[in-house]
Amino acid sequence: MASSTLICDTEQWKDLKAHVDDIKKTHLRELMSDTERCNSMMVYDTLLNFEFDGILLDYSRQCATLETMDKLFKLAEAAGLKGKINRMFNGERINSTENRCVLHVALRAPRDAVINCDGKNTVPDVWQVLDKIREFSERVRSGSWVGATGKPLKDVVAIGIGGSFLGPLFVHTALQTDPEASEFARGRQLRFLANVDPIDVARNITGLNPETTLVVVVSKTFTTAETMLNARTMREWISSALGPEAVAKHMVAVSTNLTLVEQFGIDPNNAFAFWDWVGGRYSVCSAVGVLPLSLQYGFSIVEKYSSCRELQASTNTSIQHLLIKTFPPFYLILKPWRSLRLIFNRHVSMESNGKGVSIDGVPLPYESGEIDFGEPGTNGQHSFYQLIHQGRVVPCDFIGVVKSQQPVYLKGEVVSNHDELMSNFFAQPDALAYGKTPQQLQNENVPHHLIPHKTFPGNRPSLSLLLPSLSAYNIGQVWGYFLILL
């Protein structure tokens, strides 16, 4: 496909669109009766063993057949997807609007890897910063680095916005209830300040003591308006309590603009670099996320998260997830646990794919991107499931885990809390797919006047993503998995 050709102008797109219009005539109940089809649509990473650390994807409840997937793969070929993936890994400047490489994959590369940008291997620079973070975070956590009054720094406020906030918050929220990570974080606090609303500042400093607080300012250029206003506010909070000279002991930076860092009052030696080939929404494995998370949980925990190396999409279930989501305009992300924040999912998807033009600047003749919303666990069932079962069709992603971070077994209960949760995880996709007919309700002796109100048509598409657990390593998998989709 020529670079100026829109994908919707290709024969593969037109063929797929005609096929989709045709398959709408077949109810999911009928599609689900095809065992061969269903089995082929339950896949897991070919390079991972699901019993230990694999991700399982079940998209059998999508309005799709084996022929649909064949046409989707042909569409991917027409779009040159494999070549674009290779160009990214090869360090070509695929970010044409900013004329930059896109090498967030280098952030997770092993120390001996070679990933070039403009002829230079980026990996040594990445590990130089990671080693610096390891050393600094260990000094702070051990108490060898102390504040201006000699007290250990046990509380961290990370200031940033967009990817400099959402990615680290995503990981922090998930790690908070991981038994190993929470033990490493005992006695420590990590808070995030993004919004310029002074109420957010007040909430962040409530209960904190400037003597024991370390502020991490995250801004690549050190000019981001919202971040720098909040940074100046926190600097005033520290200075008014401890004096201006305390800033150097209580504030550090994640930035490449060492001149402005020093002018602000932060020691340039306490600035941690990242690079213009790291996009904000991909930056959690750079100093943007690794520094505040290491201060809270220790570098060894964060390293487990980062050590889940990204896989080439051609060997990953992500590619099938990506293709199956080509057409639906709305997506509901339903997580049966609170630990993965939807806000980061919205950020990486809706900011990445919410474009009005092609990469060449050609206006798109169709709506792009998806609208992501949702709720954890059974909350949604008492909020908006009426809509998705009986109202408008909203394709859904269900994301679950086999083993709970915090299992509860109550004496006398038939099932554990987590099993109760997961029974909903498995039941809801079936209910959306199969629906319930008036005849079934009549057989259940439902009063005649209630049958119209209890009937739901089914044929509502969904897919399920199942993780073995939510350890630091598995959280890293989730992050890498979804970023490959973008």
Side-chain angles (χ1 to χ4, degrees), residues 40-104:
S40 70
M41 293 182 174
M42 295 182 64
V43 294
Y44 59 90
D45 284 302
T46 56
L47 298 185
L48 299 173
N49 184 332
F50 175 68
E51 182 181 355
F52 297 104
D53 57 11
I55 296 176
L56 175 68
L57 172 67
D58 177 2
Y59 59 93
S60 61
R61 292 165 187 79
Q62 288 285 326
C63 297
T65 64
L66 299 180
E67 183 183 3
T68 311
M69 296 311 299
D70 181 62
K71 293 180 183 296
L72 283 167
F73 278 111
K74 287 179 179 177
L75 182 69
E77 290 177 10
L81 179 60
K82 184 176 180 180
K84 291 173 181 177
I85 292 170
N86 290 336
R87 289 179 60 206
M88 180 183 74
F89 276 85
N90 291 336
E92 296 184 34
R93 293 175 176 261
I94 63 172
N95 179 350
S96 58
T97 57
E98 296 176 306
N99 192 30
R100 293 174 179 173
C101 304
V102 179
L103 285 179
H104 50 278

Side-chain angles (χ1 to χ4, degrees), residues 254-448:
V254 176
S255 179
T256 55
N257 194 332
L258 298 184
T259 299
L260 290 185
V261 167
E262 186 170 20
Q263 290 177 3
F264 187 86
I266 296 174
D267 186 344
N269 291 320
N270 297 328
F272 299 82
F274 63 119
W275 307 269
D276 63 8
W277 42 259
V278 180
R281 74 208 71 160
Y282 307 108
S283 63
V284 69
C285 285
S286 71
V288 169
V290 175
L291 177 58
L293 292 168
S294 293
L295 288 165
Q296 176 69 7
Y297 298 104
F299 188 85
S300 62
I301 293 291
V302 180
E303 191 173 31
K304 291 180 182 180
Y305 166 84
S306 299
S307 69
C308 177
R309 308 301 174 195
E310 290 195 54
L311 304 174
Q312 289 279 2
S314 59
T315 60
N316 198 286
T317 56
S318 302
I319 193 69
Q320 297 183 55
H321 193 161
L322 166 69
L323 292 175
I324 203 68
K325 296 175 74 170
T326 299
F327 279 100
F330 297 91
Y331 247 93
L332 178 61
I333 299 178
L334 302 160
K335 309 171 302 301
W337 75 98
R338 184 173 294 278
S339 304
L340 293 184
R341 294 179 66 95
L342 177 69
I343 192 168
F344 181 58
N345 298 355
R346 288 199 299 256
H347 172 63
V348 296
S349 174
M350 294 170 70
E351 184 175 356
S352 291
N353 298 323
K355 313 296 184 186
V357 298
S358 72
I359 192 68
D360 302 301
V362 179
L364 300 177
Y366 52 84
E367 294 179 340
S368 66
E370 61 192 41
I371 300 170
D372 289 329
F373 71 100
E375 272 292 317
T378 53
N379 291 358
Q381 292 179 207
H382 298 271
S383 176
F384 50 77
Y385 275 37
Q386 181 83 27
L387 170 71
I388 66 175
H389 280 290
Q390 292 185 310
R392 68 180 303 159
V393 176
V394 183
C396 302
D397 281 4
F398 291 88
I399 309 174
V401 293
V402 175
K403 299 177 182 178
S404 174
Q405 289 179 320
Q406 299 288 333
V408 175
Y409 302 93
L410 297 178
K411 185 177 180 180
E413 294 289 339
V414 178
V415 297
S416 69
N417 295 41
H418 185 67
D419 286 346
E420 177 72 21
L421 179 68
M422 292 305 291
S423 68
N424 288 276
F425 169 82
F426 291 112
Q428 288 295 335
D430 275 347
L432 286 166
Y434 290 101
K436 203 152 199 178
T437 66
Q439 183 62 52
Q440 288 174 307
L441 292 166
Q442 185 176 335
N443 293 342
E444 295 173 3
N445 297 318
V446 173
H448 181 74

Side-chain angles (χ1 to χ4, degrees), residues 443-465:
N443 293 342
E444 295 173 3
N445 297 318
V446 173
H448 181 74
H449 72 284
L450 292 179
I451 287 178
H453 300 282
K454 290 182 175 289
T455 299
F456 50 103
N459 207 34
R460 308 294 172 104
S462 68
L463 60 80
S464 301
L465 197 66

Side-chain angles (χ1 to χ4, degrees), residues 197-263:
D197 189 334
I199 296 297
D200 287 61
V201 176
R203 287 173 176 168
N204 266 274
I205 62 177
T206 296
L208 296 186
N209 180 353
E211 292 182 279
T212 60
T213 300
L214 178 67
V215 176
V216 179
V217 183
V218 183
S219 175
K220 186 180 297 183
T221 61
F222 232 62
T223 59
T224 309
E226 301 94 333
T227 298
M228 296 317 299
L229 176 57
N230 280 332
R232 291 191 295 272
T233 304
M234 291 301 294
R235 180 179 63 183
E236 176 61 26
W237 180 68
I238 291 169
S239 299
S240 61
L242 307 175
E245 68 283 354
V247 170
K249 296 291 287 183
H250 289 263
M251 300 188 78
V252 298
V254 176
S255 179
T256 55
N257 194 332
L258 298 184
T259 299
L260 290 185
V261 167
E262 186 170 20
Q263 290 177 3

